[in-house]
C-alpha cells in the first residue's frame, strides 16, 4: 500500500484569511507527485490494486452495509467468484459488460470481479428506461448486461416497446432486500425475459483466486469503466475511464485527505455516477480505508450512520448538505450535531452560505472539519479543488504555469467565445466569466491532461476546441462557466446552453422535451431550467402550448412524466401558454422564460408546481410552493 505526505488544508484563525499562493502550490505539487505514480504503459490495473490491498490488509473492513461488514479479503473472494462466473459465460478480456444495480455489496463484487477478468464495466443508471436505456446498452457495445432485480421492472417495460434490447443477454441478479410481494411480481414479469445463467454460474464458481494471466495484456492506459455523463444536448454519452485515471484519482485524493486504514468513508451517492465510483472508492482503496455504503441517501439516517460507524470522510453534493441543514432546523431545533468524527468533506455544489452554516452546526467537537470543494466532471482532463478551506470557492490556481486548466471569455448573450482580431480565444481576467477548458496533453508516460473521450468518436470531437491560443493546440471544453478573483480562487457560475443540473444530475432539455412531446393534446413543449431560491442548480420547467380545444390535464401530465422520466428530470413547474415563444426560424426561445421563471406576475399564465406527495401538479400558490419546500420566485436570481 502506497502512502503519501498529508495535504491537510491550512486553517488560519480567520476562516477567510488568505493562504499564500506558495502554500497552496506546495499542496498542489504533492498532488502532482501522486498523479505521476501510475505509468501509462504499466501492466497494473484496478484489479491488481484490490488484490494487493487484500493481501496486505486481509480481514480489515472494506465495506459496511446495513450493519454487515465485508473485509478486504472477503470482497476479493467474492470478486474472484464473479470473475470465474463471467468467464464461464464466455466473457473475456477486452469485452464490455454493463451492470444495472443500486448501491449494495453486489455492485462492488460484480464490478471488481469483471475487472479481474479484464472486462470493461459499463455503469447503467438504475433509474432510466425506454430510449435512454436502449441507447445506453447500444452505445457501450456491451456483450451482456447484469441486471439487479431492483432494476428489472424498468428493463421489462423497455423490452415491451423496444424488443431489440433482448439482442443483448440480460442476466438477472436477485435482490434479497426486495419486499416479498414485489419480488414475486417482478418474478412473474421477468419470466422469459432474463436469464439466470449468471447466478447459476456464480453458485457453481470456483473459490480459488482468479488467474491474473487472463488480463496480463492490459495496460494502465486501457479502459476499465464506461460512465455515462449528460452532454449539452441529446442522450447521455459513455465516458471512457482508464485504469490509470481511476487509480490516479485515488492516489491524488489519498494524499489530499491523508486517508489511511483508520478512516471510514461514507458513500450515499449512486455508484453508477463517477463521484462515488471513482473519488470515494478509489481513494478508500488507495488508503486501505473502509466504506460505509447506503443504498440511497437518507436525511434521517445520516448522522446516526456517521456516529455508529465512526465515519471520518464524507462525500457530498450541495443539495445533500442543504437537506441536512434544513432537517436539523426542523427536527433538532437547529442545535446541530458535534458528537462525531467527520474530519473531511469531499464534493461540489456547496454554496458559501450553506458552507458557513455547515461548519457552525456540524464541526466535530473533538477537532476541525476540512471542506474540499471541487470542480470537474467524469470525462474531464482537468479539475479544480479548494485545498485552503476558503469558503465559497471551488478551487484555486496559484500558478498558471503549473496547470493545464484555462478559463476563456464567453459571451452569454451570443453564446459564443470571445476572440481577438487574429481569431484567438481570450483568457479571462479576474472577475470575468468564461468557460473552463483543459489543455489536452499526450505524454508517453504520464496520463495527466489526457482526454479519454467517449465511446462515440463524434461526441469526443465535439468536446474539443482546436487552435485556441496557438495553431495546433487542443483543449477539452467543460460547458461550465466560472470566474476567479484577484487571489486566484475560482467560483462556479452556471452551465452553458440548454443543460442544467438538478439533484446532482445533468438534465438535457432536448431529451426531456422529446420524452414528453407525446403527451396527449400538446402542441409544443419547451423545457428549461429556472433557479429556485436556496436550492443548488436549476429546477426543470415546462412551457406548454396545448392544441386547440385541448385543456391541460395536470394529473395526466404527472402520471405521464413519472412513467417516462427519472424523478430528477421531471419538470418541477409547468406554465400553460397560449403561444410558443419562437424565433423566425422556428427555434424555441428560453431566455425570457427563464427570467420570468415561475413568477405569477411576470408570467400571467396558469402555473403549476409538481407535488410528489399528492402525486399531481398543483396550481401554483404560496401554500403549494411551501408544501413542496420551494420559496417564491426571485427575479434577481436570474
Amino acid at each position: 500500500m502506497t502512502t503519501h505526505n498529508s495535504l491537510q488544508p491550512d486553517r488560519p484563525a480567520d476562516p477567510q484569511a488568505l493562504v499564500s499562493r506558495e502554500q497552496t502550490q506546495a499542496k498542489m505539487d504533492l498532488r502532482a507527485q501522486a498523479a505521476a505514480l501510475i505509468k501509462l504503459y504499466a501492466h497494473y490495473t484496478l484489479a491488481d490494486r484490490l488484490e494487493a490491498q487484500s493481501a496486505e490488509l486481509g480481514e480489515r473492513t472494506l465495506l459496511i452495509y446495513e450493519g454487515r461488514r465485508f473485509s478486504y479479503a472477503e470482497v476479493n473472494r467474492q470478486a474472484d467468484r464473479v470473475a470465474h462466473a463471467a468467464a464461464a459465460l464466455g466473457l473475456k478480456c477486452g469485452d464490455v459488460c454493463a451492470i444495472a444495480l443500486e448501491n449494495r455489496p453486489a455492485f462492488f463484487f460484480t464490478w471488481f470481479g469483471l475487472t479481474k477478468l479484464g472486462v470493461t464495466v459499463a455503469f447503467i443508471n438504475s433509474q432510466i428506461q425506454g430510449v435512454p436505456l436502449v441507447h445506453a446498452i447500444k452505445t457501450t457495445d456491451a456483450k451482456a448486461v447484469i441486471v439487479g432485480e431492483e432494476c428489472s421492472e424498468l428493463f421489462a417495460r423497455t423490452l415491451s416497446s423496444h424488443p431489440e434490447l433482448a439482442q443483448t443477454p440480460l442476466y438477472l441478479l436477485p435482490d434479497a432486500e426486495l419486499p416479498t410481494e414485489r419480488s414475486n411480481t417482478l418474478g412473474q414479469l421477468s419470466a422469459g425475459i432474463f436469464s439466470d445463467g449468471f447466478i447459476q454460474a456464480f453458485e457453481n464458481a470456483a473459490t480459488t483466486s482468479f488467474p491474473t494471466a487472463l488480463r496480463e495484456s492490459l495496460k494502465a492506459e486501457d479502459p476499465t469503466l464506461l460512465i455515462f455523463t449528460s452532454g449539452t444536448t441529446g442522450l447521455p454519452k459513455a465516458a471512457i475511464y482508464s485504469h490509470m485515471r481511476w487509480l490516479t484519482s485515488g492516489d491524488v485524493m489519498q494524499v489530499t485527505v491523508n486517508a489511511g486504514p483508520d478512516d471510514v468513508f461514507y458513500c450515499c451517492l449512486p455508484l453508477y455516477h463517477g463521484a462515488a465510483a471513482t473519488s470515494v472508492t478509489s481513494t478508500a482503496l488507495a488508503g486501505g480505508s473502509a466504506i460505509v455504503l447506503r443504498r440511497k441517501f437518507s436525511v434521517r439516517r445520516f448522522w446516526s450512520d456517521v456516529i455508529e460507524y465512526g465515519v471520518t470522510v464524507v462525500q457530498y453534493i450541495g443539495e445533500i448538505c442543504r437537506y441536512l441543514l434544513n432537517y436539523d432546523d426542523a427536527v433538532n431545533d437547529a442545535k446541530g450535531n458535534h458528537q462525531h468524527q467527520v474530519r473531511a468533506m469531499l464534493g461540489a455544489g456547496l454554496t458559501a452560505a450553506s458552507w458557513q452554516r455547515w461548519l457552525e452546526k456540524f464541526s466535530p467537537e473533538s477537532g476541525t472539519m476540512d471542506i474540499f470543494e471541487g470542480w470537474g466532471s467524469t470525462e474531464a482532463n482537468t479539475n479544480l479543488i479548494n485545498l485552503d478551506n476558503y469558503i465559497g470557492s471551488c478551487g484555486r490556481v496559484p500558478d498558471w504555469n503549473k496547470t493545464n486548466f484555462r478559463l476563456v471569455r464567453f459571451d452569454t448573450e451570443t453564446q459564443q467565445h470571445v476572440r481577438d482580431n487574429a481569431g484567438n480565444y481570450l483568457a479571462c481576467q479576474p472577475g470575468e466569466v468564461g468557460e473552463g477548458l483543459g489543455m489536452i496533453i499526450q505524454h508517453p508516460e504520464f496520463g495527466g491532461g489526457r482526454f479519454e473521450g467517449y465511446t462515440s468518436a463524434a461526441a469526443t470531437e465535439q468536446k474539443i476546441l482546436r487552435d485556441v491560443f496557438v495553431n495546433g493546440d487542443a483543449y477539452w471544453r467543460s460547458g461550465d462557466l466560472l470566474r476567479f478573483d484577484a487571489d486566484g480562487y475560482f467560483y462556479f457560475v452556471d452551465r452553458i446552453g440548454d443543460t442544467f443540473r438538478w439533484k446532482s444530475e445533468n438534465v438535457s432539455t432536448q431529451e426531456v422535451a422529446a420524452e414528453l412531446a407525446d403527451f396527449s393534446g400538446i402542441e409544443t413543449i419547451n423545457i428549461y431550467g429556472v433557479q429556485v431560491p436556496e436550492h443548488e442548480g436549476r429546477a426543470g420547467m415546462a412551457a406548454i402550448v396545448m392544441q386547440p380545444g385541448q385543456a391541460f390535464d395536470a394529473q395526466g401530465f404527472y402520471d405521464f412524466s413519472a412513467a417516462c422520466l427519472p424523478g430528477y428530470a421531471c419538470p418541477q413547474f409547468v406554465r400553460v401558454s397560449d403561444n410558443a415563444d419562437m424565433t423566425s426560424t422556428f427555434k424555441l426561445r428560453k431566455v425570457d422564460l427563464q427570467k420570468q421563471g415561475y413568477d405569477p406576475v411576470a408570467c400571467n399564465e396558469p402555473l403549476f408546481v409538481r407535488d410528489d406527495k399528492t402525486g399531481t401538479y398543483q396550481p401554483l400558490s404560496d401554500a403549494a410552493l411551501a408544501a413542496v419546500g420551494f420559496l417564491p420566485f426571485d427575479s434577481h436570481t436570474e
Side-chain angles (χ1 to χ4, degrees):
M1 177 181 65
T2 304
T3 59
H4 308 285
N5 295 326
S6 172
L7 272 185
Q8 299 308 292
D10 297 304
R11 184 177 293 279
D14 176 358
Q16 290 302 86
L18 280 178
V19 174
S20 72
R21 288 177 180 267
E22 290 76 17
Q23 287 175 293
T24 304
Q25 188 59 56
K27 290 178 277 189
M28 299 296 293
D29 290 345
L30 285 177
R31 284 169 54 89
Q33 291 172 20
L37 292 174
I38 305 297
K39 302 297 187 287
L40 290 167
Y41 53 76
H43 291 277
Y44 189 71
T45 69
L46 185 162
D48 293 308
R49 175 156 291 178
L50 171 66
E51 291 170 357
Q53 294 294 65
S54 173
E56 180 175 338
L57 299 171
E59 296 308 311
R60 288 191 70 96
T61 299
L62 172 53
L63 291 180
I64 303 171
Y65 181 76
E66 296 294 342
R68 295 184 61 193
R69 292 177 179 267
F70 300 86
S71 68
Y72 273 80
E74 177 60 21
V75 171
N76 189 55
R77 283 192 293 268
Q78 293 293 329
D80 278 327
R81 294 186 65 192
V82 169
H84 283 296
L89 294 174
L91 289 171
K92 62 184 184 301
C93 184
D95 286 343
V96 175
C97 180
I99 65 173
L101 296 164
E102 292 181 353
N103 286 16
R104 53 185 175 115
F107 191 110
F108 283 103
F109 303 156
T110 306
W111 167 20
F112 290 164
L114 291 168
T115 303
K116 280 175 173 278
L117 181 55
V119 168
T120 299
V121 183
F123 292 158
I124 304 300
N125 187 324
S126 61
Q127 302 180 60
I128 62 172
Q129 60 182 311
V131 172
L133 178 57
V134 175
H135 166 79
I137 303 303
K138 181 179 179 180
T139 197
T140 62
D141 195 26
K143 296 295 189 292
V145 187
I146 297 175
V147 183
E149 189 178 7
E150 66 273 26
C151 301
S152 60
E153 187 172 1
L154 297 177
F155 275 75
R157 287 180 188 168
T158 299
L159 277 162
S160 66
S161 54
H162 299 276
E164 66 271 22
L165 183 61
Q167 295 173 6
T168 304
L170 304 175
Y171 294 108
L172 192 67
L173 186 60
D175 182 1
E177 296 176 68
L178 285 180
T180 303
E181 291 184 3
R182 185 180 176 214
S183 183
N184 291 339
T185 300
L186 291 178
Q188 297 172 1
L189 186 68
S190 303
I193 295 177
F194 300 100
S195 167
D196 63 354
F198 174 75
I199 194 62
Q200 288 188 2
F202 180 80
E203 291 173 350
N204 296 324
T207 57
T208 56
S209 298
F210 191 77
T212 60
L214 294 181
R215 64 171 189 271
E216 64 181 1
S217 63
L218 285 181
K219 295 180 181 179
E221 64 182 344
D222 292 324
T224 184
L225 294 174
L226 300 177
I227 304 178
F228 282 89
T229 175
S230 294
T232 55
T233 59
L235 292 165
K237 301 181 287 290
I240 298 170
Y241 224 93
S242 68
H243 290 275
M244 175 277 303
R245 196 148 65 98
W246 192 90
L247 293 164
T248 296
S249 174
D251 289 338
V252 169
M253 288 309 297
Q254 188 275 329
V255 69
T256 301
V257 300
N258 195 28
D262 293 329
D263 279 305
V264 180
F265 285 70
Y266 192 73
C267 179
C268 57
L269 299 180
L271 284 164
Y272 62 75
H273 265 326
T278 59
S279 180
V280 166
T281 308
S282 62
T283 306
L285 198 61
S289 311
I291 301 172
V292 174
L293 181 67
R294 276 210 63 82
R295 191 141 184 158
K296 294 179 180 179
F297 169 70
S298 168
V299 68
R300 183 179 58 85
R301 289 283 301 275
F302 179 85
W303 287 115
S304 60
D305 282 349
V306 165
I307 294 169
E308 179 180 357
Y309 300 119
V311 171
T312 59
V313 183
V314 172
Q315 184 188 44
Y316 70 87
I317 56 172
E319 198 73 359
I320 283 178
C321 296
R322 190 184 67 81
Y323 290 153
L324 290 166
L325 288 166
N326 292 344
Y327 186 75
D328 183 74
D329 289 343
V331 305
N332 194 36
D333 296 326
K335 295 177 182 177
N337 188 329
H338 306 282
Q339 305 300 315
H340 59 82
Q341 301 176 54
V342 177
R343 63 176 183 82
M345 302 276 291
L346 316 174
L350 190 59
T351 65
S354 292
W355 190 329
Q356 188 63 56
R357 288 181 63 207
W358 183 271
L359 292 175
E360 293 169 355
K361 280 176 172 283
F362 301 129
S363 289
E365 188 176 71
S366 59
T368 58
M369 182 188 294
D370 296 316
I371 308 292
F372 294 95
E373 171 81 3
W375 169 86
S377 68
T378 300
E379 76 273 36
N381 72 332
T382 191
N383 64 77
L384 297 170
I385 187 169
N386 185 338
L387 300 173
D388 302 332
N389 283 306
Y390 197 77
I391 294 175
S393 169
C394 63
R396 192 183 198 185
V397 176
D399 185 345
W400 285 104
N401 294 314
K402 292 188 175 183
T403 178
N404 71 326
F405 176 81
R406 292 294 183 267
L407 193 70
V408 296
R409 289 174 58 186
F410 188 86
D411 188 327
T412 56
E413 290 295 322
T414 64
Q415 293 289 292
Q416 297 289 328
H417 294 98
V418 181
R419 307 194 192 199
D420 63 18
N421 293 333
N424 297 319
Y425 291 66
L426 296 176
C428 288
Q429 299 302 310
E432 293 181 338
V433 172
E435 181 181 6
L437 308 180
M439 183 172 64
I440 297 174
I441 301 170
Q442 296 292 341
H443 193 282
E445 291 191 16
F446 308 117
R450 281 203 171 194
F451 175 45
E452 297 179 335
Y454 310 98
T455 55
S456 164
T460 299
E461 185 60 32
Q462 287 175 357
K463 293 289 284 186
I464 299 175
L465 292 178
R466 300 186 185 278
D467 304 326
V468 176
F469 296 113
V470 297
N471 289 338
D473 66 9
Y475 283 77
W476 165 79
R477 63 174 307 185
S478 68
D480 285 344
L481 298 175
L482 302 98
R483 61 178 174 83
F484 67 100
D485 61 26
D487 298 304
Y489 287 102
F490 279 76
Y491 307 87
F492 177 78
V493 175
D494 207 348
R495 289 286 295 169
I496 290 175
D498 292 340
T499 294
F500 57 90
R501 287 183 71 80
W502 182 247
K503 306 296 185 184
S504 80
E505 300 276 358
N506 282 344
V507 181
S508 168
T509 58
Q510 284 194 355
E511 182 181 342
V512 173
E515 290 291 336
L516 297 178
D518 291 333
F519 179 65
S520 178
I522 279 185
E523 180 72 26
T524 63
I525 182 167
N526 193 358
I527 304 295
Y528 49 98
V530 296
Q531 290 189 341
V532 180
E534 297 187 11
H535 283 68
E536 283 76 31
R538 292 175 182 261
M541 187 164 183
I544 293 174
V545 177
M546 300 301 296
Q547 298 170 2
Q550 297 290 321
F552 176 68
D553 178 4
Q555 182 65 63
F557 190 70
Y558 181 94
D559 294 339
F560 186 85
S561 61
C564 65
L565 291 170
Y568 62 79
C570 292
Q572 300 300 302
F573 302 96
V574 173
R575 173 179 181 169
V576 182
S577 303
D578 293 330
N579 300 289
D581 185 9
M582 289 186 175
T583 68
S584 59
T585 56
F586 301 99
K587 293 182 179 179
L588 291 166
R589 291 192 180 99
K590 302 176 186 288
V591 175
D592 289 342
L593 293 173
Q594 288 178 316
K595 290 179 179 178
Q596 294 166 4
Y598 54 94
D599 181 355
V601 175
C603 295
N604 196 29
E605 291 177 327
L607 297 171
F608 298 82
V609 60
R610 185 181 184 87
D611 188 337
D612 290 319
K613 291 182 180 178
T614 60
T616 190
Y617 282 89
Q618 299 285 1
L620 190 139
S621 65
D622 287 347
L625 289 172
V628 297
F630 291 159
L631 293 174
F633 184 76
D634 180 3
S635 61
H636 296 292
T637 63
E638 285 292 342

